[in-house]
Amino acid sequence: MAERVPLASELSRIMERVACEVTRHVGQLELRPVMDENFHAETGGCQVQTTLYGGYHSRITLTSNYLFFFNLAKNMMEESPTLEDVADYAVEYFNVLCGHIVAEIFRVTGVTAKFCCPIFGHKVRSEAVPFQTCTQFCCPYGWLELGYAPLPMTAISAKHEGEEKEL
């Protein structure tokens, strides 16, 4: 059986559904997919990203405004979060989100993958790796952009978790 990664349209549907479900369950926030092709997310914000490896190699990136991550952390903690709390809860949320995305890709394709520890940062989306699919959302607290980009084949060194080396 040939391994395959879902097509962009399949990935888009998976990411849209999973993001809405996980955000509602984990953060008690409702997301609405943006249907306007001319919608442009703000240029600033926070970003969480990870690299997938195994049967396919890709990057998942979640970019949002700070207010979304603040309210997500507040709902998860049920109190007012500090800046450090916001980063910690953004990574925890993203871990759950990526786990569900990888599980859905496996369900559709039978291809397995693992993901590295997510990295949180205060930066905008990088244009260096073009997205195969990008799903945008809005909510009362701002916007989100969830992107999926295939990467060249990489090897993950067991000695240096998360450090990628070109093959």
Side-chain angles (χ1 to χ4, degrees):
M1 179 176 137
E3 294 183 348
R4 72 175 185 90
V5 177
L7 301 172
S9 60
E10 288 177 295
L11 277 170
S12 183
R13 284 191 302 272
I14 288 169
M15 289 172 28
E16 184 178 300
R17 182 177 50 74
V18 169
C20 290
E21 289 172 2
V22 167
T23 305
R24 183 180 316 109
H25 180 73
V26 173
Q28 293 88 43
L29 294 174
E30 292 293 325
L31 294 180
R32 288 187 325 273
V34 174
M35 301 302 176
D36 181 4
E37 291 180 12
N38 297 318
F39 176 81
H40 294 288
E42 299 166 24
T43 56
C46 304
Q47 185 178 79
V48 190
Q49 67 177 359
T50 191
T51 303
L52 306 173
Y53 62 97
Y56 53 95
H57 300 270
S58 22
R59 175 166 294 137
I60 297 178
T61 304
L62 177 68
T63 306
S64 184
N65 61 327
Y66 178 77
L67 188 57
F68 171 80
F69 284 124
F70 177 83
N71 280 286
L72 182 77
K74 183 178 176 184
N75 288 354
M76 291 170 74
M77 295 175 61
E78 298 181 3
E79 58 185 64
S80 206
T82 66
L83 284 175
E84 188 175 298
D85 293 332
V86 170
D88 290 345
Y89 281 93
V91 168
E92 182 180 326
Y93 161 76
F94 190 64
N95 254 332
V96 174
L97 184 62
C98 289
H100 284 265
I101 290 170
V102 167
E104 280 299 301
I105 291 172
F106 174 76
R107 189 185 64 73
V108 169
T109 66
V111 180
T112 62
K114 297 178 182 178
F115 55 95
C116 299
C117 293
I119 300 168
F120 179 85
H122 301 281
K123 79 181 238 187
V124 296
R125 181 182 104 187
S126 169
E127 297 296 335
V129 179
F131 291 133
Q132 175 181 343
T133 188
C134 182
T135 306
Q136 296 176 324
F137 303 90
C138 59
C139 72
Y141 303 107
W143 55 271
L144 276 84
E145 184 175 77
L146 183 60
Y148 177 94
L151 296 174
M153 293 297 284
T154 59
I156 305 297
S157 167
K159 287 184 181 177
H160 307 286
E161 281 187 36
E163 182 180 321
E164 299 175 14
K165 297 178 182 178
E166 288 292 319
L167 287 178

